[in-house]
Amino acid sequence: MGYLACVEKLWDVDVHAASERDVCELIEQCTAQVDATVDRSQLVSSLAVAGAFSDVSMDYVTPRVQVLADKWITDLCSILNLNNLGSCEFNLICTDRVHPYFSEPSTKSQYKLMHSDAQPGLLMGEPKWKKRSQCVGAFMWALSRLDASVMSESVVFVLPVTLALVDDYEYRMQGLRASCLFVRNAEFARRSGTGSVLLSSIRACLVYRSDAPQPHKLLHTAFTAFVVVADAIQVDVQEWWALCDALVVNYGYVSDKIKELRVVSEQISIVCERLGVCVTRYLRAFIGIVTHVLESGICVAELQHVAAEQVTALAKACPQRVCVYVPSVVAALARAWDSADNSSGADKLRDEIHRALASLRETDADAVSRAVRSLQTARPGHFDTW
């Protein structure tokens, strides 16, 4: 079996049914038979197949498969004299290995029932690309290696596939990652309006999904993608307020889930950096989130440390209003201080609490002093370092 036949055999493998051993054997055969005399376009096309088994974001790519695929990629890049992909190579990969599957959705017949007024026709079935996961892996690998400076020359291939992935529940993680890769050319994404199109799709993903395999990772990836794209295209304050709305809504769903609660909490300092004093609009809600985390019995020291960091961020962003919440915030910090007695990471948490108190003192030193004195009176010797 020649090199190209071996490549096509690997491409046609049902990756979800084949064993790791079978896949590895085929990759090793392809690597051993790499032929420098093959036409350059066919070598580039085979590079996409190798890349499809190198992207670890795909569930069928195991560490062993990735190692073998990377060796194959190294050999091909050496022959092709490639470091990054140019628009010609990327467009060829999409034309051969990606576009044919995304351009033709599967359909199934709709039959007319007896005594029904419904007209016979076609219903949309599962998209063709979902039956060939390798095309998604090839796309993700190629996009990650596409020279960002030539993104404008490949946008007709990148944008439709990225939007399809973002809108799909099963492949949303890949779509969100692709969105971040796309806006590496921030100027093009901003001037062409394509970044705004992506942001609209990403905004719909800022919702907690309990049925996702790893809900906290999906939520974190969605928030990260929103921030990356929003920063790249330099959105106005309304878009950041939309992110704040999403944080408040998601908090209602994840208030008793440690991993997801951490994801939501970490975003507060991010919006503080972007909004500054304008975050005052959501200050009450954000204070409620951080005090809940600091006081909650389900929260571990690591999560409480994150919450204490958000106190510092809020105090720096809108010092004129944070002072109103000093009594409740100091009380919450005291609860976290108490819970650190018998937990791992206690020293790190207490250092962060000291930093949070210092930031609060910069907003209203008298209010902080009064709150601390009340604690020291109630529990002598316990808060002496405050």
Side-chain angles (χ1 to χ4, degrees):
M1 181 168 54
Y3 174 69
L4 294 179
C6 188
V7 170
E8 293 306 318
K9 183 176 180 180
L10 176 61
W11 182 251
D12 291 335
V13 164
D14 183 346
V15 292
H16 298 293
S19 67
E20 180 189 52
R21 179 181 176 181
D22 292 340
V23 172
C24 288
E25 286 180 354
L26 281 172
I27 294 176
E28 288 176 331
Q29 289 177 29
C30 291
T31 306
Q33 297 183 48
V34 171
D35 186 355
T37 63
V38 172
D39 182 74
R40 181 179 177 84
S41 63
Q42 292 177 316
L43 285 176
V44 172
S45 182
S46 69
L47 183 61
V49 179
F53 290 89
S54 177
D55 192 305
V56 291
S57 70
M58 305 304 297
D59 57 5
Y60 60 82
V61 177
T62 65
R64 186 184 173 204
V65 167
Q66 184 195 18
V67 169
L68 294 175
D70 285 344
K71 183 179 183 302
W72 182 14
I73 291 170
T74 300
D75 292 348
L76 286 172
C77 288
S78 177
I79 294 172
L80 293 166
N81 194 26
L82 284 177
N83 290 320
N84 292 323
L85 297 179
S87 59
C88 291
E89 290 81 15
F90 180 83
N91 295 352
L92 175 61
I93 285 173
C94 288
T95 300
D96 283 359
R97 302 294 181 179
V98 181
H99 187 67
Y101 302 96
F102 279 85
S103 60
E104 295 182 11
S106 299
T107 58
K108 57 184 179 181
S109 298
Q110 174 188 2
Y111 297 100
K112 182 177 178 180
L113 300 177
M114 189 178 295
H115 309 301
S116 171
D117 293 330
Q119 296 298 315
L122 293 175
L123 289 177
M124 299 298 291
E126 186 176 60
K128 187 177 180 181
W129 59 266
K130 294 189 75 171
K131 300 176 181 179
R132 184 67 67 95
S133 298
Q134 297 97 307
C135 70
V136 178
F139 173 76
M140 293 301 300
W141 177 86
L143 182 59
S144 68
R145 284 154 181 80
L146 175 62
D147 187 342
S149 65
V150 298
M151 190 67 72
S152 60
E153 300 172 24
S154 301
V155 64
V156 293
F157 291 102
V158 178
L159 191 60
V161 175
T162 300
L163 290 173
L165 294 175
V166 170
D167 291 340
D168 186 83
Y169 283 141
E170 186 179 353
Y171 288 90
R172 180 161 288 172
M173 289 276 281
Q174 283 79 9
L176 294 168
R177 284 183 55 232
S179 300
C180 296
L181 292 170
F182 179 80
V183 297
R184 287 175 297 164
N185 189 332
E187 183 178 2
F188 171 71
R190 182 172 60 252
R191 291 185 176 181
S192 65
T194 51
S196 297
V197 173
L198 281 175
L199 196 65
S200 297
S201 292
I202 295 171
R203 196 185 303 118
C205 301
L206 302 178
V207 180
Y208 172 68
R209 285 187 56 224
S210 59
D211 59 335
Q214 295 179 304
H216 66 287
K217 287 190 176 181
L218 179 58
L219 193 62
H220 178 267
T221 304
F223 281 128
T224 300
F226 184 95
V227 172
V228 169
V229 176
D231 280 343
I233 64 176
Q234 300 175 3
V235 297
D236 56 23
V237 68
Q238 282 79 12
E239 287 292 350
W240 293 112
W241 280 343
L243 180 59
C244 293
D245 286 334
L247 293 179
V248 175
V249 170
N250 279 285
Y251 167 69
Y253 294 116
V254 305
S255 59
D256 60 343
K257 298 174 177 63
I258 293 177
K259 292 180 179 179
E260 290 80 358
L261 192 55
R262 175 172 182 167
V263 171
V264 171
S265 300
E266 287 174 335
Q267 308 309 310
I268 294 176
S269 59
I270 293 174
V271 296
C272 284
E273 292 175 8
R274 274 70 177 180
L275 286 174
V277 71
C278 292
V279 82
T280 303
R281 179 174 180 173
Y282 293 88
L283 183 58
R284 183 175 182 179
F286 288 165
I287 290 292
I289 293 174
V290 297
T291 54
H292 165 75
V293 174
L294 290 167
E295 295 176 338
S296 178
I298 70 165
C299 296
V300 295
E302 186 178 358
L303 178 53
Q304 290 173 323
H305 179 273
V306 171
E309 290 177 331
Q310 312 316 305
V311 172
T312 301
L314 288 168
K316 291 181 178 179
C318 44
Q320 301 88 344
R321 292 297 299 164
V322 167
C323 57
V324 176
Y325 301 95
V326 163
S328 60
V329 174
V330 171
L333 290 170
R335 290 288 299 273
W337 184 276
D338 281 342
S339 67
D341 284 341
N342 300 313
S343 64
S344 60
D347 292 339
K348 185 179 179 182
L349 170 59
R350 287 180 168 174
D351 287 343
E352 192 58 46
I353 289 174
H354 278 303
R355 283 189 284 272
L357 287 169
S359 65
L360 290 174
R361 285 191 174 92
E362 293 177 4
T363 67
D364 192 335
D366 292 339
V368 174
S369 296
R370 288 193 297 271
V372 171
R373 280 198 299 270
S374 297
L375 292 170
Q376 291 171 340
T377 301
R379 301 187 64 181
H382 197 70
F383 299 102
D384 288 349
T385 61
W386 282 31

